[in-house]
Amino acid sequence: MADSTTVSNYPNLEKYMKLPQKGKIMAEYVWIDGTNGVRSKSKTLFKPVSSPDELPEWNFDGSSTGQAPGDNSDVYIRPVAIFPDPFRLEPNIIVMCETWDPDGSPNKFNYRHDAARLMEANKHHELWFGLEQEYTLLGIDDRPYGWPKNGFPGAQGPYYCGVGTGRTFCRDIVEAHYKACMYAGVNIAGTNAEVMPAQWEYQVGPCEGIELGDHLWMSRFLLARVAEEFGAKVSFAPKPIPGDWNGAGLHTNVSSAEMRKDGGMKHIEAAMKKLEGRHVDHIAVYGEGNADRLTGKHETGSMDKFTWGVADRGASVRIPRQCAREGKGYFEDRRPASNADPYQITGIIVETIYGGLPEEKMDKE
């Protein structure tokens, strides 16, 4: 598919993948690095495991991932979630991890820890999240896949949910990723081509509490691995191409037990007031480069002002028309950029609506 030297040579690889493992298991430890990307390395296990608690803590060189200085470079990775491995197949596993410093405190890029505390403290609200991950597929020249080498494709219009040559690009990657997520147990809800050519979206959720962040990050890891085999790059840039082209977001759908009950609209409207009061705080953690996307054009609200409305895709937050009609349901925060951290997004939404937590006392070495 791609003019790249990194394309996987599967016919050669296949004969090795079929070799017996003699009772051992390959575990791929995955963590989030200091650039908001994913890293991984493999560990051999000598017996099956059914819980993250059964897996050993490990470490890596944080000075090579932007997470620690060279003179104190060890960063520890603690397993928090297990997924079946769609590349090596079962019984092999992929392990989502948190990053921790040697003194026993969360690494500064470990946003999961505080988010998990917030979710646990508010679990009686039964918070559901569903995130819509947009992304752009690029060639090795960093141009969107399928675009002319020295020009631009036709104007936006025929590409959204498009079908057919000239309307869609790299569907093989999208289909492979979809199946990989299903095999891994990632709660992927669907996928579709987006407004800009070579731009796609998939949805993860609904998931309750911290599970959403785990599943979204694992889906990103799987997408990077699938694209690697096809020799393509994945961009989560919120405005990958300047000009009259749609950006890429991470629209965040939120619902609580109170919002889902009859009369729940009053709880949704109360949440709008709280979100408006912390608009600047939310924008600060809703992704880098978001100012290029949140211009009030191309189905976005203005970065400088909080707005909400029913069925309004030009607002900061949209209330689906069906929810307004039924008087209950959920809301969609359209502000997060495609490169935002789902732990930070869901964490600050819970904090804004239900309040923060006292500072945690850590037993440091």
Side-chain angles (χ1 to χ4, degrees), residues 2-6 138-143 145 149 231-233:
D3 183 18
S4 170
T5 59
T6 62
L138 309 176
I140 58 172
D141 58 356
D142 289 327
R143 290 277 290 172
Y145 235 107
K149 294 291 184 182
K233 296 181 181 181

Side-chain angles (χ1 to χ4, degrees), residues 225-240:
R225 281 290 311 274
V226 168
E228 174 186 316
E229 294 189 7
F230 287 87
K233 296 181 181 181
V234 178
S235 171
F236 294 112
K239 188 71 173 178

